[in-house]
Amino acid sequence: MFDSHFGFSAPPFQLTPDPSFYYESKGHGHALSFLKYGVYQREGFVVVTGEIGSGKTTLVRTLLEGLNVREVVAAHVVNTQLDSYELLHSICTAFHVQVPGPSKAQMLATLEAFFTALAASGRRALLVVDEAQNLGLKEVEELRMLSNFQLGPYALLQSFLVGQPELRHMLRSSAMEQLRQRVTAACHLGPLSVFETRAYIEHRLRRVGWSTVPAIADEAFVAIHSFSGGIPRRINVLCTRVLLGSWVSNRNDVGLEEVRSAAAELGAEVGGEAVPALVKSALI
């Protein structure tokens, strides 16, 4: 649509997590360092939490792309609306392990054999569980039991739990005491600051060839931060609508009014979650 109008090589604010667009804010850089530290530790659990759309999946995929595949075999489970049996089956699938039979005992034995074979070849297994706040107590306990697999003094599996703030609350419960003792690092992704919001927008635009068109006014960046709450996915949704509006109007500039108009449109639409309720009053 507007990509060719502005001379972009690709959509700058797509919603699909893409490590090539990763922007290292202070919070994201801190979280990535925690993840790398967790990988270095080679055992236990690393917990990453953040609001919906805060960039957790992009962060994890950025980490995974930087791993040496000759040393680490990583698997990513994204569907967590599962019972403990289904979770084990998903883990087998994620690691491309063929289960010889339907029983839970067979899956556990097969996974242990697979992890042991990796260790014998000088590699190790890393499991990333996304949307981990959806897991029940039994499913979390299943993950903890998998962390018991060892070869001598070394753990055969390391796990990253990635989820929304509810995951933090869940891990604080008394039922999670044993798992908490195995958490080697934990961090929370907060919203971007006003300065970081501008840098994030400019970073994504430059990735697709932007230099001066469209020209974006200083107050437009401030407004985008206000209406989005500094949440990357909301910023992407709002910026896409702003650029679309400029394209429809055949404009090559973005100012405060263009941002206010786009935010108002999103706020009026069903499911227009790009504009937080707490800042909708600013449209009046």
Side-chain angles (χ1 to χ4, degrees):
M1 296 187 296
F2 54 73
D3 301 335
S4 58
H5 174 75
F6 295 120
F8 298 157
S9 60
F13 298 105
Q14 57 188 345
L15 298 182
T16 304
D18 185 348
S20 69
F21 281 92
Y22 170 71
Y23 167 70
E24 189 157 286
S25 69
K26 181 178 179 180
H28 287 76
H30 181 70
L32 187 58
S33 295
F34 264 84
L35 291 177
K36 290 179 178 178
Y37 169 78
V39 172
Y40 175 78
Q41 289 295 98
R42 303 173 63 97
E43 62 180 359
F45 289 83
V46 175
V47 179
V48 180
T49 57
E51 298 293 340
I52 297 172
S54 60
K56 299 183 296 297
T57 301
T58 300
L59 181 73
V60 168
R61 290 186 178 178
T62 299
L63 172 80
L64 295 180
E65 283 202 352
L67 295 179
N68 187 338
V69 295
R70 293 188 296 272
E71 297 178 358
V72 182
V73 175
H76 195 179
V77 173
V78 295
N79 180 11
T80 51
Q81 297 282 7
L82 307 167
D83 59 30
S84 58
Y85 176 87
E86 293 168 332
L87 177 62
L88 282 176
H89 199 282
S90 291
I91 293 171
C92 289
T93 301
F95 276 114
H96 304 290
V97 172
Q98 186 172 0
V99 180
S103 76
K104 181 176 176 180
Q106 287 173 309
M107 283 192 286
L108 289 171
T110 302
L111 282 171
E112 183 175 16
F114 172 72
F115 298 149
T116 301
L118 285 180
S121 67
R123 295 184 293 170
R124 54 198 175 87
L126 171 64
L127 173 65
V128 178
V129 181
D130 222 333
E131 301 298 337
Q133 76 280 350
N134 295 327
L135 296 172
L137 294 179
K138 289 183 178 179
E139 290 68 51
V140 173
E141 178 63 11
E142 203 69 68
L143 292 176
R144 190 186 71 80
M145 295 301 292
L146 287 177
S147 71
N148 286 336
F149 291 154
Q150 288 186 285
L151 182 62
Y154 302 106
L156 295 178
L157 175 68
Q158 183 179 32
S159 298
F160 286 3
L161 302 181
V162 183
Q164 296 169 28
E166 294 86 344
L167 175 61
R168 300 175 76 189
H169 303 316
M170 182 174 71
L171 293 177
R172 289 179 185 141
S173 70
S174 58
M176 294 292 172
E177 176 62 27
Q178 292 189 70
L179 187 137
R180 280 201 305 274
Q181 292 179 7
R182 299 192 183 189
V183 173
T184 58
C187 58
H188 181 75
L189 287 178
L192 303 180
S193 67
V194 175
F195 172 81
E196 289 174 331
T197 295
R198 177 171 187 153
Y200 171 82
I201 293 169
E202 292 179 338
H203 168 75
R204 294 190 73 103
L205 286 170
R206 290 193 183 103
R207 289 291 298 170
V208 298
W210 173 79
S211 56
T212 59
V213 180
I216 306 174
D218 292 342
E219 58 267 27
F221 288 110
V222 176
I224 291 170
H225 175 267
S226 176
F227 289 125
S228 68
I231 301 298
R233 187 182 299 165
R234 291 173 179 170
I235 295 171
N236 288 0
V237 172
L238 180 54
C239 284
T240 295
R241 186 60 64 94
V242 169
L243 292 175
L244 180 61
S246 294
W247 171 63
V248 170
S249 302
N250 198 31
R251 297 175 61 95
N252 286 322
D253 63 305
V254 172
L256 176 60
E257 288 308 311
E258 285 70 39
V259 177
R260 288 172 61 91
S261 176
E265 289 177 5
L266 288 168
E269 293 172 0
V270 176
E273 296 177 355
V275 183
L278 62 92
V279 297
K280 284 185 181 179
S281 59
L283 294 167
I284 301 173

